[in-house]
Amino acid sequence: MNDVVVVIPARYGSSRLPGKPLLAIHGEPMLARVWRRACQSGAARVVIATDDARIETAMRPYEAEVMLTGRDHPSGTDRLAEVAARLGLEADTIVVNVQGDEPLLPPALIDQVASRLADDTTASIATLAEPIGDVEALFNPNVVKVVRDLYGRALYFSRAPVPWDREHFAQRPDHLETDAWLRHIGLYAYRAGFLAEYVDWLPSPLEQLEQLEQLRAMHHGHRIQVALTCEAHPAGVDTQEDLERIRRLIAEEEDKA
């Protein structure tokens, strides 16, 4: 995909895991593993966007393309917009935002979200979702839910269990009987022209209530395509427990190889 650029925003600061992008996983910085997975996709270019020279130094041995960006960006999307502007990307260029804490991200998902946006010329963003199969996840506010229309476009994102089953949710159910509920996966593809507009918008009321940045785009009338993942999406690293789990998984895989 010659018109796709992957950008990996990588902040050094993290309240839960300071220096998270450079935490070691089986002998390598976590960010190096994310970057390598992104390079295995069909993207024409992979750029790491960071606010810290320590990350640039750590990635130099890998010959990764690293761009030092501003320190005051309120979100990863704003950091992407700076990268797109400095690279001089055409308005229709697709920019995929890959989180720097997903060392197990399948490259196929990067290609899928980019292709989904390319297929819908009326959409400004594409993202992914997967079915929710358990009640705990559905009622967990940290699991973001998405509702789609007939054409796969997002109707709404919420931390609440939407859609609400009027007949069966009067009391919290023990199990889910259908696959009507979708978990949003935070992998995004944007058009570069949209990013240039986005940075000038103030947060929208619904975005502030839900604390979900994508609602800002919907507030301004932009369409978001949502595809069901073509393969499983492994969890990323948010906590020390996540880090230890992924360290074990990767060590087991690489020791067998």
Side-chain angles (χ1 to χ4, degrees):
M1 291 183 286
N2 295 329
D3 56 347
V4 174
V5 177
V6 169
V7 179
I8 308 173
R11 289 180 60 252
Y12 189 86
S14 170
S15 57
R16 290 183 178 178
L17 292 172
K20 182 164 68 168
L22 301 186
L23 294 176
I25 298 179
H26 206 47
E28 284 192 309
M30 175 164 56
L31 181 59
R33 293 181 175 275
V34 177
W35 170 81
R36 188 178 295 113
R37 294 236 169 192
C39 290
Q40 292 168 359
S41 74
R45 192 172 185 178
V46 178
V47 181
I48 295 170
T50 185
D51 59 354
D52 198 293
R54 286 170 288 188
I55 290 176
E56 181 183 36
T57 300
M59 294 304 298
R60 194 172 294 146
Y62 297 91
E63 299 184 351
E65 183 177 1
V66 181
M67 181 180 291
L68 285 172
T69 59
R71 292 179 175 271
D72 57 350
H73 290 304
S75 72
T77 310
D78 293 274
R79 199 174 304 279
L80 254 70
E82 180 186 344
V83 172
R86 288 173 58 183
L87 292 178
L89 300 182
E90 297 291 333
D92 288 338
T93 301
I94 293 174
V95 181
V96 179
N97 182 355
V98 171
Q99 300 299 324
D101 57 5
E102 295 198 26
L104 298 178
L105 180 68
L109 296 186
I110 298 174
D111 293 338
Q112 182 186 13
V113 76
S115 295
R116 186 65 166 177
L117 183 57
D119 290 343
D120 187 346
T121 58
T122 69
S124 302
I125 306 173
T127 188
L128 301 177
E130 62 185 7
I132 297 175
D134 66 275
V135 173
E136 290 303 318
L138 179 61
F139 282 82
N140 182 348
N142 293 318
V143 175
V144 177
K145 277 68 69 173
V146 60
V147 180
R148 307 187 303 165
D149 69 13
L150 179 65
Y151 305 101
R153 299 178 185 129
L155 291 171
Y156 192 60
F157 295 86
S158 182
R159 297 184 182 277
V162 293
W164 184 262
D165 189 333
R166 178 180 174 184
E167 299 300 323
H168 298 100
F169 284 4
Q171 293 182 338
R172 185 164 169 153
D174 295 325
H175 64 281
L176 301 177
E177 297 182 355
T178 74
D179 59 357
W181 295 276
L182 296 176
R183 176 203 306 265
H184 175 231
I185 304 299
L187 179 65
Y188 292 97
Y190 304 93
R191 299 192 191 281
F194 165 82
L195 291 170
E197 293 182 44
Y198 178 91
V199 293
D200 292 329
W201 299 336
L202 295 174
S204 67
L206 287 176
E207 173 192 359
Q208 292 175 312
L209 281 173
E210 295 263 17
Q211 291 296 294
L212 295 176
E213 188 182 338
Q214 61 270 39
L215 293 176
R216 191 185 313 183
M218 297 183 70
H219 179 77
H220 286 268
H222 285 262
R223 291 174 173 168
I224 302 177
Q225 267 288 351
V226 184
L228 297 182
T229 54
C230 61
E231 60 180 271
H233 175 266
V237 177
D238 289 321
T239 66
Q240 185 66 37
E241 291 74 16
D242 294 335
L243 178 63
E244 296 303 330
R245 173 180 51 79
I246 288 179
R247 279 173 170 167
R248 288 193 297 271
L249 285 173
I250 290 179
E252 290 171 2
E253 290 177 359
E254 296 187 356
D255 287 342
K256 290 178 183 176

